[in-house]
Amino acid sequence: MVRSFGVNMRVMLLASAAMLPAAPALAQTAEDEASQSDNQEIVVTGQTTRDRPLITASADITYANRDDIDRKAPRSTADMLELVPGIFVEGTAGQISNNYSVRGLQGGGQRFVQLEEDGMPILYGGGGADFFFDQDLTIDRLEAVKGGSSGVLTVNGAGATINFISKRPNFKEAEGVARVSAYNYGQLRGDFYYSQPISENLAFNVGGYIQSNPGVRRNTFDYQGWRLKGALQYNFGDGGYVRLSAKGGDVENAYYATMPYAFVNGEVRSIPGLDTQFGNVAGDAFANIAVPVSTFAHPSGFREFSHRDGVVAKTGQVRLDFDAPLSDSLSLFGHARYFDYSYNFNGLFPGSGTGNAGLTSAVNYLTPGAGSPINGLLTLGQAAFPGTTRFGIKNLRTGVVIGANQTAALNALNGNGFLQRTTLNHDYVQGTDFGINTGLRWEHQGDGFSSSFTAGLMYYKVKRVTDQSATGSVVNDVRTNSDIYDIVALDGANNVIGTLSDNGLVSYGDWGAGIREREDSTFSLYANEEIAFGDLRIDAGIRWESDKALALDGNGAAINQPVQPGVVGVIRDVGSTFDGTYGTRRKTQSKAAYTLGVNYLLSPDFAVYARYANGFQTNNVDPITTIELYEVGLRFQHGRIFSGSATVFQTNFNNQNYNFADPVNPSVQTNLNADLRTRGVEIDFTVRPTDWFSIDFEGVFQEPKLINLELNGVPQAGFSGNRPERTPAKLFTITPVFQLPGGKGEIYARYKYVGSIFADHGNGLALPSYGVTSLGATFNLSDRLQASFNVDNVFNVVGLTEGNPRQGQTQAIVNGFFYARGIVGTTYGGSITLKF
């Protein structure tokens, strides 16, 4: 039966410990029973006390089953995170590399939020996990914890942990599911899942998907991909089990960064030739471009940028899980996995570094002086070709040349007359991530109290090698499937007498050496205690972690290396790129995370709780960043008619530190360090007046503020009190659901409101609020056949999630134009699901 998300979340049974990847002897052996009962859901995440109702918990926990995920119809992993109240998702990069933040932390990253699969981090560091995980039919449900013991019982997840729980092998009978889905933007996908017993105590399952997907914005290329996962589980007679599993994949995806927008009469509009809703400057011109680079980075002296390949993520993992009861009250558990991964990122970054200054008329581009974004190149061209009368542009696709004196033709270019500089970001990452989590759980019933105590250790050994060399920029026009232009020197008759650029490339080595390596060897000891005295429950946990880290950073050449023979243009060296040497940093750091929570049941339907948590995020050799979370909440339920909670929270983020490209010189990194303070309230409730209708509300209303901000160690008093970049003060979702008679399915709607955000810490560019309406329906055509349809952004709303993060900390709209990244227009699709 399909049920509302809010009801599911509140009828479940759970423990208050926020995140315990290894603990669940009960959850791992009782999963079949949990799946049979609509009102007895067992939550694996953080379970140390058996059969503990949500109303008695002292942590903020969310639960979504398979129906909830299907109703959301996620286009990406980030979309699924919107099922968790208080998580702000910037889902505008495409299927991968999206940003998400929690409780007032600035947008633009993934810090303090840990994505897990079956209780272990997808990646130790957390960031970038959505490159390597997609939901499919092997996923049974999602469980999430914000704050609480999330930072104690997992690594790098002090703000929130989102745990994707896989289906377990079926020991009773064979079962299978097949699904085909299609969307109007061109995605085609086939999913399958199959499980069956081999013997009384041995069973297996396998599942995955294949897809073809050009991405949600217009694209001349189509991207392919597959993922496959399987498990073999043996159950012992005493309730224990051992499970061996593996997964692999090879998935191509499109990626979207910022693009130009117009601001007209207070409204965000399209630039002619580039639609806000589906426009995409990428296309055929960017299919394959050879970028000159240091021979220390690539012996040939070239590195290929390939938009045709997009972002290619490859994964391979093997994993072993076991649970062994040692007595009626004591059990031993263990989880270990080895993950090998890579991604080959080919992404376009229009306006990167140059910002709005790089978005100007073609006439300005070709006119020497401060008004030209390529004035340095024009100066070199004047010296290289003394007979130059003027400059021009040559379309690399058509060969057409337009001179600077042909102003009418230049101003008519694509209906807008603009050119821009677009950075080619080729980032290849190869990594390994080995993790172990093992420990003991002891449950004890005493005179007037009960106790569940869990203690364990975690070990992670991770390595990540990055090659982001050969980052250059081209001059292209402003339209969908844009063209790249060479800058040429012309004589008086507009004949080409020389070429200043290299197949459109006007700079090399824009982002420095780009070669680096990171290693971490971490060890954690943790303990969690849940004790109950009648209606009073007290929860406490602590984790100590030591991280032995190594950082190797490739040095940029002091004397820039010449380009290879045959490279045309007036730029004769490869810029600031790898010189073959490394700077080495080593550091061992340790830190303790701890939490204390209390819940008091005033009546069977009304409880109050409070929680304090102090957690942290490791950052290799860089300083550990910390987070404090205070929360006080209440929960109330009245039969099936109403259930809800309200939580007041205070979050302190200390020493938030990251680097960004200096807008004046993008090869130089600017360091930002700041503290953040957020106070807010989170509200979550479901009203079900009848059996056939329910309405769910989830929202957060918060006041985030910056304090103590420094740029390169210099205090910036003017930023104090500003709102952190890309962080809304208001965020809520309303979901009404109508059940069809006779269990024939449901019709639902969703309205998501995102409050206004600032594109920068300087609060110079405000991006307006927006609301997105979605509709969907599921029809149970028979016991085995189901059809689903959904439409997202029904009213084709324009919504922006970021400005130009590579432009700096003070952004603005210049001459009515700016760079930003936004949601797409109306998309729709559906699926057919067959159970067998």
Side-chain angles (χ1 to χ4, degrees):
M1 182 177 72
V2 179
R3 297 160 294 150
S4 77
F5 170 70
V7 172
N8 275 336
M9 185 181 69
R10 296 175 183 87
V11 301
M12 67 183 178
L13 299 175
L14 48 86
S16 68
M19 179 60 237
L20 184 55
L26 168 66
Q28 302 292 353
T29 57
E31 54 212 356
D32 292 338
E33 297 160 25
S35 66
Q36 295 171 13
S37 175
D38 282 340
N39 62 356
Q40 295 294 306
E41 302 283 2
I42 301 296
V43 170
V44 176
T45 308
Q47 179 126 323
T48 60
T49 302
R50 298 175 187 269
D51 298 344
R52 181 173 177 178
L54 171 63
I55 201 168
T56 68
S58 65
D60 192 347
I61 299 177
T62 300
Y63 172 94
N65 69 4
R66 183 72 245 176
D67 290 335
D68 302 319
I69 295 172
D70 289 343
R71 184 181 300 119
K72 174 63 178 172
R75 271 64 161 176
S76 66
T77 298
D79 279 353
M80 283 195 292
L81 304 191
E82 292 184 340
L83 291 168
V84 183
I87 298 287
F88 173 51
V89 175
E90 303 173 52
T92 50
Q95 195 166 327
I96 45 86
S97 196
N98 288 294
N99 302 313
Y100 36 86
S101 56
V102 60
R103 287 191 170 174
L105 183 64
Q106 69 196 47
Q110 302 170 349
R111 290 187 177 186
F112 294 109
V113 179
Q114 184 63 272
L115 300 190
E116 298 201 334
E117 187 174 11
D118 297 320
M120 291 197 77
I122 295 169
L123 290 175
Y124 164 80
D130 65 337
F131 280 89
F132 310 111
F133 174 83
D134 292 305
Q135 74 85 20
D136 55 31
L137 292 177
T138 68
I139 298 300
D140 182 61
R141 61 193 185 277
L142 173 156
E143 300 170 1
V145 183
K146 296 187 294 296
S149 57
S150 178
V152 169
L153 296 170
T154 192
V155 292
N156 294 322
T161 299
I162 292 90
N163 191 10
F164 299 95
I165 308 297
S166 301
K167 293 180 179 179
R168 298 299 178 234
N170 193 325
F171 284 83
K172 296 180 179 180
E173 60 184 359
E175 64 168 324
V177 184
R179 173 177 293 171
V180 292
S181 57
Y183 286 88
N184 67 313
Y185 51 84
Q187 183 185 33
L188 299 173
R189 174 163 159 162
D191 289 69
F192 82 99
Y193 173 81
Y194 184 77
S195 178
Q196 79 169 50
I198 299 173
S199 66
E200 182 180 357
N201 295 321
L202 185 66
F204 79 93
N205 65 7
V206 63
Y209 72 85
I210 57 172
Q211 73 171 18
S212 173
N213 185 9
V216 289
R217 292 187 175 272
R218 293 188 182 96
N219 198 347
T220 57
F221 304 117
D222 201 5
Y223 300 114
Q224 315 299 316
W226 62 269
R227 288 218 163 104
L228 184 68
K229 182 170 69 176
L232 181 68
Q233 179 169 323
Y234 183 83
N235 287 343
F236 300 105
D238 58 3
Y241 72 91
V242 61
R243 180 170 57 247
L244 178 66
S245 59
K247 68 176 184 178
D250 186 342
V251 182
E252 301 172 348
N253 276 300
Y255 171 81
Y256 313 109
T258 57
M259 71 180 197
Y261 288 82
F263 195 72
V264 182
N265 297 325
E267 293 186 2
V268 177
R269 300 279 181 84
S270 298
I271 290 179
L274 186 64
D275 174 37
T276 61
Q277 305 303 77
F278 294 102
N280 181 15
V281 299
D284 293 327
F286 297 90
N288 292 284
I289 300 174
V291 182
V293 69
S294 163
T295 55
F296 292 106
H298 292 269
S300 68
F302 296 95
R303 191 176 187 215
E304 194 85 1
F305 174 90
S306 177
H307 178 67
R308 172 62 192 89
D309 293 338
V311 182
V312 184
K314 297 182 179 182
T315 57
Q317 176 177 288
V318 291
R319 174 169 171 165
L320 181 68
D321 301 85
F322 72 87
D323 193 289
L326 305 178
S327 69
D328 290 342
S329 60
L330 186 66
S331 61
L332 171 69
F333 57 81
H335 307 267
R337 57 119 175 94
Y338 178 80
F339 184 45
D340 188 288
Y341 65 91
S342 69
Y343 68 73
N344 192 12
F345 183 99
N346 295 271
L348 299 182
F349 288 76
S352 185
T354 56
N356 290 350
L359 177 66
T360 190
S361 69
V363 172
N364 285 343
Y365 260 83
L366 298 177
T367 304
S372 173
I374 56 170
N375 185 52
L377 187 79
L378 299 183
T379 301
L380 292 174
Q382 199 89 50
F385 308 108
T388 300
T389 301
R390 64 184 65 89
F391 297 102
I393 54 174
K394 178 182 179 181
N395 188 309
L396 295 185
R397 178 177 57 86
T398 65
V400 172
V401 175
I402 307 176
N405 63 332
Q406 297 173 275
T407 54
L410 292 174
N411 289 333
L413 200 66
N414 302 311
N416 56 56
F418 281 122
L419 293 176
Q420 63 179 336
R421 282 182 63 173
T422 294
T423 297
L424 312 179
N425 179 16
H426 187 181
D427 188 6
Y428 178 79
V429 172
Q430 172 72 52
T432 57
D433 195 315
F434 174 69
I436 296 175
N437 186 344
T438 187
L440 292 166
R441 185 180 63 184
W442 179 59
E443 294 187 327
H444 177 67
Q445 292 282 343
D447 186 10
F449 75 95
S450 62
S451 169
S452 178
F453 177 75
T454 301
L457 62 88
M458 304 178 197
Y459 173 76
Y460 288 91
K461 178 70 172 179
V462 299
K463 182 177 181 179
R464 184 182 178 103
V465 178
T466 301
D467 180 356
Q468 200 176 13
S469 62
T471 300
S473 65
V474 299
V475 172
N476 61 308
D477 53 22
V478 179
R479 67 179 181 93
T480 291
N481 191 17
S482 66
D483 284 328
I484 296 175
Y485 293 82
D486 258 335
I487 307 300
V488 293
L490 305 177
D491 62 16
N494 279 358
N495 297 309
V496 176
I497 61 173
T499 301
L500 283 66
S501 54
D502 167 24
N503 292 308
L505 287 160
V506 295
S507 64
Y508 312 128
D510 286 6
W511 291 357
I515 304 292
R516 54 192 175 273
E517 182 175 323
R518 297 291 185 268
E519 293 185 19
D520 292 273
S521 180
T522 82
F523 178 77
S524 292
L525 294 173
Y526 66 91
N528 190 72
E529 167 68 20
E530 299 179 8
I531 189 167
F533 302 93
D535 292 330
L536 176 66
R537 289 164 172 83
I538 301 173
D539 309 314
I542 187 169
R543 180 175 63 88
W544 173 85
E545 180 176 5
S546 175
D547 180 11
K548 182 180 180 181
L550 168 68
L552 300 177
D553 293 291
N555 296 315
I559 300 175
N560 293 333
Q561 190 181 85
V563 296
Q564 295 298 300
V567 173
V568 300
V570 296
I571 301 174
R572 304 316 300 160
D573 63 63
V574 296
S576 178
T577 57
F578 186 45
D579 67 4
T581 65
Y582 290 89
T584 302
R585 293 178 291 161
R586 300 177 187 271
K587 195 169 186 179
T588 299
Q589 301 179 83
S590 60
K591 191 77 174 176
Y594 48 91
T595 184
L596 177 66
V598 178
N599 180 291
Y600 187 71
L601 198 62
L602 298 171
S603 74
D605 296 323
F606 185 45
V608 294
Y609 78 94
R611 170 74 75 158
Y612 170 78
N614 188 304
F616 61 88
Q617 177 97 15
T618 62
N619 300 295
N620 192 251
V621 297
D622 293 328
I624 292 174
T625 50
T626 60
I627 177 174
E628 281 188 308
L629 302 104
Y630 303 82
E631 58 184 285
V632 177
L634 58 87
R635 296 186 177 96
F636 176 74
Q637 60 189 37
H638 181 68
R640 287 176 54 85
I641 295 176
F642 178 87
S643 61
S645 65
T647 304
V648 177
F649 63 88
Q650 167 79 35
T651 308
N652 301 330
F653 301 97
N654 298 317
N655 297 315
Q656 304 309 294
N657 189 287
Y658 65 93
N659 294 324
F660 62 93
D662 187 325
V664 178
N665 183 1
S667 67
V668 176
Q669 293 290 301
T670 298
N671 178 265
L672 183 146
N673 192 86
D675 299 334
L676 288 74
R677 301 289 182 263
T678 302
R679 182 173 298 168
V681 60
E682 190 175 289
I683 299 172
D684 185 6
F685 66 83
T686 294
V687 178
R688 181 183 287 275
T690 70
D691 289 341
W692 52 267
F693 174 74
S694 66
I695 187 166
D696 185 78
F697 178 91
E698 303 152 8
V700 61
F701 306 87
Q702 58 191 8
E703 295 180 354
K705 293 182 180 180
L706 284 167
I707 60 174
N708 304 325
L709 187 142
E710 298 178 347
L711 294 178
N712 290 331
V714 179
Q716 307 288 322
F719 289 82
S720 184
N722 285 1
R723 196 196 304 173
E725 62 178 326
R726 297 154 70 173
T727 305
K730 185 186 300 182
L731 182 70
F732 64 82
T733 302
I734 302 172
T735 308
V737 181
F738 298 85
Q739 302 292 336
L740 298 178
K744 295 298 184 182
E746 67 176 16
I747 299 173
Y748 60 89
R750 180 184 298 107
Y751 177 77
K752 178 182 71 174
Y753 176 86
V754 179
S756 63
I757 63 174
F758 288 100
D760 56 332
H761 283 324
N763 289 183
L765 178 58
L767 304 180
S769 62
Y770 62 93
V772 175
T773 301
S774 304
L775 298 173
T778 298
F779 302 101
N780 298 323
L781 306 179
S782 70
D783 291 341
R784 296 181 177 274
L785 190 63
Q786 184 183 77
S788 297
F789 306 93
N790 61 84
V791 184
D792 194 36
N793 198 1
V794 173
F795 300 109
N796 202 32
V797 169
V798 176
L800 304 179
T801 64
E802 66 175 64
N804 187 349
R806 287 151 291 277
Q807 186 181 339
Q809 295 305 311
T810 303
Q811 300 179 33
I813 297 173
V814 179
N815 298 324
F817 302 99
F818 65 103
Y819 280 95
R821 186 164 73 180
I823 64 174
V824 297
T826 305
T827 60
Y828 55 88
S831 64
I832 299 292
T833 303
L834 175 67
K835 298 180 180 180
F836 57 92

